[in-house]
Amino acid sequence: MSRRAITLLVAGFLVLALGIAGAWLDVPYVVLSPGPTENTIGEVDKKPVISIQDRQTYPTTGALSLVTVSYQGGPRARPDLLTALRGWVDPTSAVVPEESIFPRTQTAEEVEQENTAEMTSSQDNATAAALTELKIDYSMVPAVLSVEKTAPAAGVLKPSDEIRTVDGKPITSVDQVSAGVKARKPGDEIVFGVTRDGRQLDVTVKSIASKQGTAMVGIVMHAKYKFPFKVSISVGDVGGPSAGMMFALGIIDKLTPGALTGGKSVAGTGTITPDGKVGGIGGIAQKMVGAKDSGATIFLTPADNCAEAVKAAPDGLRLVKAETLHGAVQALDAIRSGKGVVPSCSAG
């Protein structure tokens, strides 16, 4: 064999070896794909997704399904190049930079904790929004959801502490607690007026600097609602706030006679505020594929996601625009009765 042939053979072998090795290299991307759907008026593991105690409920039919996005990747388990390439060519998947899901300012554990907190908050907000829509009274106080083990607040503030004041200023919302802390400088002592086990007391926490340079004490807050009856929501290992609207619709359906869907299979997504505003979410394309695969024919779409949804909607899936919970209920009423205007998504 000539020297030239040997050189070409060796070079070809090296290129192949490098290509194979490179294909198995981890890459800083996350592959998004359609996740499971759950019917909020149905059951998971033979248990109702939504359980309501001490209040009359009504049987219903059809489906009001929440949709999810599954992901491969993250700082602790990055995908290899081949997995990322398969995601790029799969029309039902999306490949996004790792930092869009796991910001560099947060650890993977912090992201998971935040998703869990957001899911808890989403369920409470959904109950509040449903009761607001049905004109059922309830009350709310900002409270501590969790305390970081190594944070200044550890051992001083406790989960379930209801925050009445920050540095003497009355508090009525979670945002006011956050604003009150951030208004101080790192190192300042912050006095929290709290209600704990029925007792009112003042506790002092010395703040530290967050990664953004603002004051922090290391607590996660949530709105602690006091409802006139108990609403429990269980969907297993699902995190984040994007199922809020569908939870609220499921609660309304159970608390009112008849089937809100008219027996149809409806899916949807969107965050919810206690006063019923529907917010945009991520992964809309993957969620619509999951909805279609689950048998849904109608997809309740946050107004902020409409333009993107129109471009990626699977055939046979009707996109209904939802700006508020009240609007979503009205749209379902119009679809069920065949009367009234049903708002639809447009590309503009």
Side-chain angles (χ1 to χ4, degrees):
M1 186 179 294
S2 69
R3 180 178 295 179
R4 177 182 175 81
I6 293 174
T7 301
L8 290 173
L9 182 62
V10 171
F13 174 78
L14 289 174
V15 170
L16 179 62
L18 288 172
I20 294 173
W24 291 101
L25 289 175
D26 293 345
V27 292
Y29 289 90
V30 174
V31 181
L32 307 179
S33 57
T37 64
E38 299 292 354
N39 181 9
T40 62
I41 53 176
E43 296 183 342
V44 173
D45 296 330
K46 298 182 179 180
K47 294 181 180 180
V49 172
I50 297 173
S51 299
I52 300 174
Q53 299 177 20
D54 303 321
R55 186 82 175 193
Q56 182 176 2
T57 59
Y58 301 88
T60 188
T61 58
L64 284 166
S65 297
L66 64 88
V67 287
T68 63
V69 174
S70 296
Y71 69 84
Q72 290 177 277
R76 292 179 298 185
R78 285 177 169 170
D80 56 53
L81 183 58
L82 283 177
T83 300
L85 289 173
R86 283 195 295 268
W88 267 309
V89 299
D90 183 352
T92 67
S93 298
V95 181
V96 299
E98 182 180 272
E99 62 186 47
S100 67
I101 307 295
F102 299 92
R104 292 179 180 176
T105 56
Q106 292 178 291
T107 65
E109 291 80 6
E110 287 173 335
V111 171
E112 290 176 1
Q113 290 172 359
E114 185 175 302
N115 284 339
T116 299
E118 285 179 339
M119 172 55 82
T120 300
S121 177
S122 173
Q123 294 174 359
D124 288 341
N125 287 347
T127 303
L131 268 57
T132 298
E133 175 67 17
L134 296 174
K135 295 179 172 57
I136 299 173
D137 291 334
Y138 62 90
S139 61
M140 183 278 291
V141 293
V144 178
L145 178 64
S146 62
V147 182
E148 296 178 21
K149 293 181 180 179
T150 59
V156 183
L157 288 169
K158 297 182 178 181
S160 297
D161 280 352
E162 298 175 1
I163 306 297
R164 297 179 291 104
T165 62
V166 174
D167 287 332
K169 296 179 180 178
I171 295 297
T172 59
S173 71
V174 171
D175 288 343
Q176 287 180 339
V177 177
S178 177
V181 172
K182 290 181 179 179
R184 304 299 301 276
K185 296 178 181 179
D188 286 351
E189 291 188 341
I190 302 174
V191 180
F192 295 88
V194 306
T195 299
R196 180 184 298 165
D197 299 327
R199 297 182 298 115
Q200 293 189 358
L201 62 156
D202 291 337
V203 298
T204 301
V205 182
K206 186 174 182 178
S207 65
I208 59 174
S210 68
K211 292 177 180 177
Q212 291 75 33
T214 57
M216 63 166 283
V217 296
I219 57 175
V220 176
M221 297 293 301
H222 74 131
K224 183 178 180 181
Y225 294 98
K226 298 182 179 180
F227 300 120
F229 49 87
K230 185 175 182 180
V231 178
S232 301
I233 300 176
S234 178
V235 288
D237 189 21
V238 176
S242 64
M245 176 176 64
M246 300 312 294
F247 286 144
L249 290 170
I251 294 167
I252 290 171
D253 202 3
K254 289 203 163 195
L255 289 174
T256 53
L260 191 59
T261 67
K264 297 180 183 296
S265 181
V266 177
T269 186
T271 63
I272 197 76
T273 61
D275 60 356
K277 292 185 178 65
V278 176
I281 50 80
I284 190 73
Q286 288 71 45
K287 289 179 177 180
M288 289 189 297
V289 172
K292 180 67 184 299
D293 290 345
S294 73
T297 56
I298 297 166
F299 191 79
L300 298 173
T301 312
D304 290 344
N305 292 112
C306 265
E308 179 185 1
V310 167
K311 298 175 184 177
D315 291 339
L317 191 65
R318 181 180 183 182
L319 303 186
V320 176
K321 181 169 67 173
E323 296 185 73
T324 64
L325 178 62
H326 183 67
V329 171
Q330 286 187 316
L332 290 175
D333 287 344
I335 291 171
R336 185 180 64 252
S337 66
K339 300 177 183 179
V341 178
V342 179
S344 61
C345 284
S346 63

